[in-house]
Amino acid sequence: MQALFHSLGITDIWQLIAATMVFLLLPGPGTFCVLTCAAKGGVRGGFAAQAGLMLGDVVLMFLAAAGVAALLHANPLLFHGLQYLGAAYLAYLGARLLFARGEGGGTVVPFSNAAEFRRGFLVTLFNPKAIVFYMAFFPLFLDPATQQGALTFITMGAVISCCTFLYGSVLVMVGNAAARRMARNRTIARLASRAAGVFLIGFGIKLTTQ
């Protein structure tokens, strides 16, 4: 399978999956949104919010991929510059998580009387930093020599969406009470933030040594 994805321009599919899962495990607005909707609307409400989150992610990934693809075709040298800027940005995010004193979690954006699907969609779209993050994230796993343009970005987006769906399904099915307690536990949130910070810094270093 590794060879198949590499032929599409994805350098390491397993690292892509591992990185995505680590980022998903870090409590944030999306996590709390799914938990809240599952608590109020049951399984159907939780999955409706999850569908909204995934659609929002698709929109942001499309915008990010369009920017990366345009830069790759216009000037490969600038693309490599983006890789190093992305590495610095990821290291910066990692350092903030690693040395943060807060809980490392997020809060749910309140949308009164809104459907669960719309709630999840807007929670994602109201996080414009995600576009910058994806623009830094995509080049880490992209091989300019073998990339297949839109097909490569669609494949990467599909992998990320599958990981998001699996993680969201666990959030919904684990149970409202237990999941909410775990998500609000300050110790778990802090440890998750530290682990994600180390992971981000490690990927930044990995990129600069390639």
Side-chain angles (χ1 to χ4, degrees), residues 6 47 52 110 126 159 163 194 207:
H6 190 269
F47 277 112
F126 284 177
V159 170
C163 292
R194 303 298 188 269
L207 180 60

Side-chain angles (χ1 to χ4, degrees), residues 57 84 151 162:
D57 265 337
Y84 285 97
L151 179 60
C162 287

Side-chain angles (χ1 to χ4, degrees), residues 22 90-91 93-98 192-202:
V22 167
L90 293 181
L93 291 179
R96 290 192 61 182
L97 289 173
L98 189 59
S193 294
R194 303 298 188 269
V198 172
F199 202 80
L200 283 169
I201 294 173

Side-chain angles (χ1 to χ4, degrees), residues 49-63 117-118 120-127 130-131 134 161:
Q50 180 64 25
L53 287 170
M54 292 177 64
L55 179 60
D57 265 337
V58 168
V59 173
L60 296 183
M61 283 190 288
F62 172 79
L63 294 175
F117 179 86
R118 183 184 176 189
F121 182 68
L122 292 178
V123 162
T124 304
L125 285 189
F126 284 177
N127 184 21
I131 300 177
Y134 281 127
S161 294

Side-chain angles (χ1 to χ4, degrees), residues 102-117:
E103 296 183 8
T107 57
V108 178
V109 180
F111 298 107
S112 57
N113 301 320
E116 285 86 351
F117 179 86

Side-chain angles (χ1 to χ4, degrees), residues 18-207:
T20 301
M21 293 307 298
V22 167
F23 298 144
L24 289 173
L25 288 171
L26 181 65
T31 298
F32 288 96
C33 177
V34 172
L35 290 173
T36 300
C37 291
K40 294 182 178 180
V43 173
R44 294 181 63 180
F47 277 112
Q50 180 64 25
L53 287 170
M54 292 177 64
L55 179 60
D57 265 337
V58 168
V59 173
L60 296 183
M61 283 190 288
F62 172 79
L63 294 175
V68 173
L71 188 58
L72 175 62
H73 285 90
N75 194 320
L77 183 61
L78 286 179
F79 173 79
H80 289 296
L82 177 63
Q83 285 185 312
Y84 285 97
L85 287 176
Y89 178 70
L90 293 181
Y92 166 74
L93 291 179
R96 290 192 61 182
L97 289 173
L98 189 59
F99 299 108
R101 295 183 179 181
E103 296 183 8
T107 57
V108 178
V109 180
F111 298 107
S112 57
N113 301 320
E116 285 86 351
F117 179 86
R118 183 184 176 189
R119 182 185 182 96
F121 182 68
L122 292 178
V123 162
T124 304
L125 285 189
F126 284 177
N127 184 21
K129 291 182 179 179
I131 300 177
V132 180
F133 173 78
Y134 281 127
M135 288 192 69
F137 187 67
F138 281 154
L140 292 175
F141 306 96
L142 183 64
D143 184 357
T146 60
Q147 62 88 22
Q148 302 296 318
L151 179 60
T152 298
F153 287 110
I154 290 173
T155 303
M156 295 177 73
V159 170
I160 294 174
S161 294
C162 287
C163 292
T164 303
F165 177 76
L166 291 175
Y167 175 67
S169 298
V170 172
L171 283 180
V172 174
M173 303 303 295
V174 156
N176 297 330
R180 289 169 70 183
R181 287 196 195 98
M182 289 180 62
R184 293 176 180 176
N185 186 287
R186 296 186 179 185
T187 301
I188 294 177
R190 272 198 301 269
L191 291 176
S193 294
R194 303 298 188 269
V198 172
F199 202 80
L200 283 169
I201 294 173
F203 267 104
I205 295 174
K206 175 180 179 292
L207 180 60

